[in-house]
Amino acid sequence: MYTVGLDVDTRAYFTAATLIIAVPTGIKIFSWLATCYGGSLHLTAPMLFALGFVVLFTIGGLSGVVLANASLDIAFHDTIFIVSYSILFINTMATVFSINNEDNLKSDIKYKLKKNNSEIEYIKMFWVGLMDGDGSIQVNHWRKSSLQYRLVIKLSNITSNYKMLVKIAKFIGGNVRITGKNKDVIWVINDKEDIKNILNIFDIYPLLTSKKICQLKFLKECLLRESIDWYLSNRNNKYNDQMFIINSDMFGLEKNNLVLPNYFYSWFSGFIEAEGCFSIRKSNNHSFSIGQNDDIYLMNVIRKYINTTNIIRNPYRNFYSIEIYKKETLKFIINHIKNYPLLGEKAESFNKWEQKL
């Protein structure tokens, strides 16, 4: 521009205007850098492109400050300095970086959405296993005038359990509160409409323990009938089908054709969170055990899945359990938990236990 024959005063004006424009541009660059410095940086592809844009934009901008001087602009006119710095850095490279950043940002957003959806589904499957182990599906009445519905999980009031239940509440719904003189933490949901929505999860990922299956069936029937009289006359019969479920061979074990549901692996981690035990002994004879009331078929399925020949013990009444000492089987359990992580107190126990093996 300076080379077209402007008078001295006009040159002075454009020189001053160009230098003044450099001030807010510089502030903008320092603002970007301050944002990066004050934030928590993750050097993903979009972030790297953004940092590259700042570098190229700064170099191109500095060349613009040099060219703001009228005498230097005349000297550099039609030279490689103009082409390489002004055009290459600002108009070409910075623009390309911005376009690539936008494309990578879209890909990153898609990846994060996919990852988030995967996490939500894992939490749902894990929650079903946790419900099977430590949950309760309840129907009660209020003064024989109305029915009240409730899903609840009750655990020891430990920080890791609290955080796990908060995470479940975030993705599934419900509330978390501390009860029992600060000894227990519970996840609970008692709004009828919310419960109806949550029941859809059980349609996709069915419960696997006989008692919870009976509880769920009874709750659904009560929701369908909405009859206090029917509830009062049938509440003592809710477990009538339990023995039928236990003997139904739902996994095909009796036919030597074990078929695991596709959500079993995530479910199993939730069930371990509820019923598993990582034992550390001074003799270094460390073990893993898991048990359940009534459902010997479930213990047989777990035994088959972890590929062990250990017998299922029946230490008292209707409680069945498996305890594992064999190193190869313990390694299998470790790999399972690495792929399908625990989320609460048992995650802490597992980490200590693994270090001792």
Side-chain angles (χ1 to χ4, degrees):
M1 182 180 66
Y2 295 119
T3 61
V4 299
L6 298 176
D7 59 79
V8 176
D9 292 336
T10 305
R11 286 185 182 183
Y13 167 75
F14 282 110
T15 299
T18 305
L19 291 173
I20 291 171
I21 289 171
V23 174
T25 304
I27 294 172
K28 179 169 60 178
I29 291 171
F30 282 110
S31 297
W32 291 337
L33 294 176
T35 300
C36 293
Y37 179 78
S40 178
L41 283 184
H42 298 280
L43 297 179
T44 57
M47 190 70 239
L48 293 174
F49 273 109
L51 293 174
F53 168 80
V54 172
V55 172
L56 293 173
F57 189 82
T58 301
I59 295 173
L62 290 174
S63 68
V65 173
V66 173
L67 296 173
N69 186 298
S71 57
L72 288 177
D73 184 85
I74 292 173
F76 286 133
H77 184 69
D78 280 341
T79 66
I80 192 63
F81 182 85
I82 300 294
V83 176
S84 63
Y85 281 86
S86 296
I87 297 177
L88 180 63
F89 279 107
I90 295 181
N91 294 340
T92 306
M93 292 303 296
T95 304
V96 169
F97 264 54
S98 298
I99 294 171
N100 285 334
N101 186 36
E102 182 180 0
D103 292 339
N104 278 276
L105 186 59
K106 289 178 180 177
S107 299
D108 196 47
I109 290 172
K110 289 180 180 178
Y111 170 76
K112 287 181 177 178
L113 286 173
K114 184 178 180 181
K115 184 178 179 181
N116 188 50
N117 289 335
S118 177
E119 183 181 14
I120 292 172
E121 291 307 306
Y122 178 73
I123 293 295
K124 289 178 180 178
M125 294 181 279
F126 181 94
W127 170 75
V128 173
L130 190 61
M131 281 292 297
D132 262 322
D134 274 337
S136 180
I137 302 172
Q138 303 172 3
V139 183
N140 300 301
H141 66 88
W142 187 77
R143 296 182 179 180
K144 297 184 179 180
S145 62
S146 62
L147 294 178
Q148 297 176 328
Y149 307 93
R150 193 170 187 246
L151 303 183
V152 61
I153 297 173
K154 183 179 179 181
L155 303 171
S156 299
N157 184 18
I158 297 172
T159 301
S160 53
N161 282 340
Y162 180 85
K163 289 181 178 179
M164 174 181 67
L165 294 181
V166 167
K167 193 169 189 176
I168 287 172
K170 175 183 176 182
F171 291 118
I172 294 178
N175 299 300
V176 178
R177 57 175 180 258
I178 296 171
T179 62
K181 297 181 180 179
N182 292 328
K183 292 183 179 180
D184 303 312
V185 57
I186 67 169
W187 170 88
V188 62
I189 182 165
N190 47 28
D191 180 81
K192 186 166 75 171
E193 294 305 316
D194 290 341
I195 288 175
K196 285 181 178 179
N197 292 330
I198 286 179
L199 292 183
N200 293 327
I201 298 174
F202 292 131
D203 293 334
I204 302 171
Y205 310 118
L207 293 161
L208 300 181
T209 57
S210 61
K211 199 167 187 177
K212 298 304 184 303
I213 292 172
C214 292
Q215 290 178 0
L216 178 62
K217 182 180 178 181
F218 183 72
L219 180 138
K220 285 183 173 180
E221 195 67 32
C222 289
L223 284 171
L224 182 64
R225 293 176 181 272
E226 294 187 344
S227 169
I228 188 70
D229 293 331
W230 187 90
Y231 162 79
L232 292 171
S233 61
N234 288 275
R235 59 181 173 176
N236 294 326
N237 302 321
K238 71 170 73 173
Y239 298 114
N240 283 355
D241 294 335
Q242 187 174 7
M243 287 307 301
F244 173 79
I245 296 168
I246 292 172
N247 298 320
S248 66
D249 191 30
M250 68 171 76
F251 295 97
L253 279 173
E254 293 180 4
K255 300 176 182 178
N256 292 321
N257 184 29
L258 178 64
V259 179
L260 294 176
N262 58 1
Y263 62 94
F264 178 84
Y265 313 103
S266 303
W267 175 93
F268 185 45
S269 288
F271 194 67
I272 291 174
E273 188 69 56
E275 303 292 353
C277 179
F278 302 97
S279 299
I280 298 174
R281 296 182 175 87
K282 292 182 180 179
S283 62
N284 289 327
N285 196 21
H286 312 309
S287 68
F288 166 78
S289 61
I290 191 165
Q292 174 68 9
N293 287 324
D294 302 317
D295 299 337
I296 187 172
Y297 69 90
L298 200 54
M299 291 299 101
N300 276 314
V301 170
I302 292 171
R303 184 177 68 165
K304 196 79 172 176
Y305 169 64
I306 62 179
N307 194 26
T308 181
T309 56
N310 291 45
I311 62 170
I312 297 173
R313 299 189 302 168
N314 180 211
Y316 58 89
R317 296 171 62 186
N318 59 339
F319 180 77
Y320 301 95
S321 67
I322 305 173
E323 188 159 16
I324 308 297
Y325 294 90
K326 192 176 179 180
K327 296 294 183 182
E328 289 181 6
T329 309
L330 293 179
K331 288 180 180 178
F332 180 90
I333 293 168
I334 289 171
N335 288 333
H336 170 90
I337 293 173
K338 291 290 180 66
N339 291 322
Y340 304 93
L342 303 171
L343 303 176
E345 176 191 2
K346 296 295 168 61
E348 297 176 351
S349 299
F350 169 74
N351 291 333
K352 295 176 183 177
W353 176 79
E354 185 190 10
Q355 290 174 5
K356 294 291 183 178
L357 287 178

